[in-house]
Amino acid sequence: MPGVVRSFAGSAVCLVRPSGHTWQAALISVRPATERERTQLAALARLHRQQRPPARRRA
């Protein structure tokens, strides 16, 4: 599952998706994304921004 590294904790890595979903994985199982996976992650981010309701402005 593509995601962005958020933090490290010993041999564990915390990853996050554009939707805000976070999870932990073993450092050894994390690898750099391929070009296709980077494209998929960018597409997920665009989709998430489109589906999110507009932010309310405070008066």
Side-chain angles (χ1 to χ4, degrees), residues 18-47:
S19 64
H21 174 74
T22 60
W23 75 99
Q24 288 190 356
L27 180 60
I28 196 149
S29 68
V30 177
R31 61 172 173 71
T34 64
E35 186 60 38
R36 182 166 187 247
E37 290 167 337
R38 279 188 287 251
T39 303
Q40 288 175 330
L41 191 59
L44 283 171
R46 281 192 307 275
L47 179 64

